Amino acid sequence: MKLEVVQRYLSGPVGYKALATEYGIGREPVRRWIAAYREHGEKGLRKKLSHYSAEFKLSVLRQVKRQELSHTQAAVLFELRGGGGVVATWQRQYDEGGLQALHPKPRGRPKTMPKPKPTELPPPQAQDTRSLEELRKENEALRAEVAYLKKLEALVRTNRQAAPKGRKPSSS
């Protein structure tokens, strides 16, 4: 299809926009295909490599600077997949992080999931140094207090229900 689009453009008065509409693609790919065909012939329309070494990327950036090429011109000249945006990205990465930033990043999902970091337990509190026997006694006292309060609440409820309507229970 690429070759067909390019040949139609080169053989007649059909423009990028008309071809893009007719074939249901964007104008930018049509323009890239035509530029690649003019520079490299049919070879320029073939599927290209998409993984590049840091050294290759740096050589492209040096060529852009030396010959004052636009990013799109560099992409056509070096047959880069993705057009001028790829060169612009490399330039930004190089400006921010030097040659190290141009090295290819691992693609896809990591081989294994990273192991979760163990959660740290809070340090023991100083006041928890009481003996088991002291804690049992305190627990027993608290249970007795709760039982006492429940009985008191039940007694108050019983007194309220027994009091005749209109009169308040005595609080003595």
Side-chain angles (χ1 to χ4, degrees):
M1 175 178 84
K2 291 179 185 180
L3 183 59
E4 183 181 330
V5 171
V6 170
Q7 288 174 341
R8 293 256 338 263
Y9 176 82
L10 295 175
S11 67
V14 186
Y16 296 127
K17 187 175 182 180
L19 283 169
T21 304
E22 183 179 333
Y23 285 89
I25 53 178
R27 279 185 274 174
E28 191 55 37
V30 173
R31 192 169 7 167
R32 276 197 317 259
W33 296 345
I34 292 166
Y37 183 82
R38 284 182 172 155
E39 185 71 30
H40 304 285
E42 284 187 39
K43 183 179 149 215
L45 299 178
R46 291 194 193 118
K47 192 169 183 164
K48 295 163 192 73
L49 191 65
S50 63
H51 305 291
Y52 306 101
S53 69
E55 291 75 21
F56 174 77
K57 294 174 186 179
L58 185 59
S59 71
V60 170
L61 294 176
R62 285 181 178 153
Q63 190 83 353
V64 166
K65 188 173 183 176
R66 207 175 303 123
Q67 294 185 355
E68 297 181 4
L69 300 172
S70 72
H71 294 148
T72 305
Q73 289 171 328
V76 169
L77 183 65
F78 289 96
E79 300 182 67
L80 300 176
R81 195 167 164 206
V86 171
V87 180
T89 300
W90 294 348
Q91 184 68 58
R92 183 178 33 78
Q93 289 172 336
Y94 183 74
D95 291 344
E96 291 173 2
L99 180 61
Q100 187 63 33
L102 294 177
H103 285 283
K105 311 294 183 282
R107 296 172 78 159
R109 195 180 286 195
K111 300 277 188 234
T112 58
M113 288 186 62
K115 293 182 180 177
K117 296 177 183 174
T119 56
E120 293 182 24
L121 296 174
Q125 296 179 351
Q127 70 184 43
D128 285 343
T129 57
R130 295 178 286 178
S131 72
L132 185 59
E133 190 58 35
E134 288 174 317
L135 292 172
R136 283 188 178 139
K137 286 181 181 177
E138 181 182 353
N139 191 16
E140 193 176 315
L142 291 171
R143 285 183 185 186
E145 184 179 341
V146 168
Y148 173 78
L149 292 172
K150 283 183 180 178
K151 286 185 180 182
L152 179 62
E153 185 181 340
L155 182 62
V156 168
R157 196 176 310 127
T158 305
N159 284 343
R160 283 190 187 147
Q161 289 173 354
K165 292 191 178 191
R167 274 186 57 188
K168 292 184 179 177
S170 63
S171 57
S172 34

